[in-house]
């Protein structure tokens, strides 16, 4: 029994000695980064940010245009499903609300199904515009863009299901 205790004390002393040796290593032997290495990394990150950030500044407008096109495509698909179920598109008066809640005015759909959870708004916070019959087809679904005025270019352009590529 005493021999076993003696053996454990020797092991504990060895571990304690090992810990002390690790703490007394010179600074150069310890692992870590120098101030110069950290500064080089910071400079590289600053240069990369300087090159990338200006390119990303125009992205929000492009993202809004893409979102509007995706919304119009999705709602157009819902309108086509509505027609398959009810043999007609919702009227202009019934609007896109007919995809969310059963219309009560004529023509009242006989096979109405809920096709959207809610009527979406465009990325600029305006409701999408809907005409049936439309000027460009059986229906027109569109947004006037950021400025809310017909026509325009870029972010202010009218985006409709007829000009989505």
């Amino acid at each position: 029994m005493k021999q076993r205790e003696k053996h454990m004390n020797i092991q504990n002393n060895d571990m304690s000695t090992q810990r002390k040796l690790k703490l007394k290593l010179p600074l150069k032997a310890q692992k870590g980064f120098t101030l110069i290495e950290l500064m080089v990394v910071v400079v590289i990150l600053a240069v990369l940010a300087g090159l990338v950030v200006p390119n990303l500044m125009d992205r929000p407008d492009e993202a809004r245009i893409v979102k509007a096109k995706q919304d119009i495509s999705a709602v157009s698909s819902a309108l086509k499903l509505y027609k398959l179920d009810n043999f007609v598109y919702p009227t202009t008066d019934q609007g896109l609300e007919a995809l969310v809640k059963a219309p009560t005015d004529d023509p009242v759909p006989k096979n109405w199904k809920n096709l959207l959870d809610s009527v979406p708004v465009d990325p600029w916070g305006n409701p999408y515009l809907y005409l049936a019959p439309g000027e460009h087809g059986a229906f027109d679904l569109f947004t006037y863009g950021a400025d809310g005025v017909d026509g325009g270019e870029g972010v202010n352009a009218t985006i409709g299901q007829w000009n989505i590529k």
Side-chain angles (χ1 to χ4, degrees):
M1 186 82 157
K2 288 186 179 189
Q3 195 174 12
R4 187 174 180 188
E5 286 176 17
K6 197 177 197 183
H7 181 68
M8 291 189 69
N9 281 339
I10 291 171
Q11 282 182 338
N12 286 341
N13 284 338
D14 285 344
M15 292 176 89
S16 152
T17 306
Q18 287 174 357
R19 281 190 211 131
K20 286 178 186 174
L21 286 176
K22 281 186 181 177
L23 292 176
K24 292 183 180 182
L25 287 175
L27 288 177
K28 292 217 177 211
Q30 293 181 2
K31 294 182 180 180
F33 296 106
T34 66
L35 181 61
I36 297 209
E37 291 171 327
L38 291 174
M39 292 301 294
V40 168
V41 169
V42 169
V43 168
I44 290 171
L45 291 174
V47 169
L48 287 174
L51 295 173
V52 172
V53 169
N55 292 333
L56 294 178
M57 295 306 283
D58 291 334
R59 296 288 185 195
D61 288 337
E62 289 178 31
R64 287 184 185 101
I65 292 169
V66 168
K67 171 81 166 90
K69 289 179 178 180
Q70 289 174 341
D71 284 351
I72 289 171
S73 292
V75 174
S76 292
S77 295
L79 285 165
K80 290 172 185 172
L81 287 172
Y82 182 97
K83 184 180 180 195
L84 283 174
D85 290 337
N86 301 292
F87 308 106
V88 293
Y89 288 109
T91 64
T92 300
D93 292 336
Q94 291 171 334
L96 298 177
E97 190 68 29
L99 303 173
V100 177
K101 189 173 103 179
T104 55
D105 51 335
D106 286 333
V108 176
K110 293 181 179 159
N111 298 315
W112 183 86
K113 292 178 186 158
N114 184 343
L115 297 170
L116 293 177
D117 292 333
S118 64
V119 177
V121 294
D122 72 15
W124 301 279
N126 303 313
Y128 285 102
L129 304 168
Y130 171 73
L131 297 173
E135 296 176 11
H136 302 278
F139 67 87
D140 288 349
L141 178 62
F142 58 100
T143 178
Y144 286 136
D147 63 359
V149 178
D150 191 15
E153 294 180 11
V155 73
N156 295 324
T158 299
I159 303 168
Q161 96 280 0
W162 64 88
N163 63 8
I164 294 177
K165 295 173 186 158

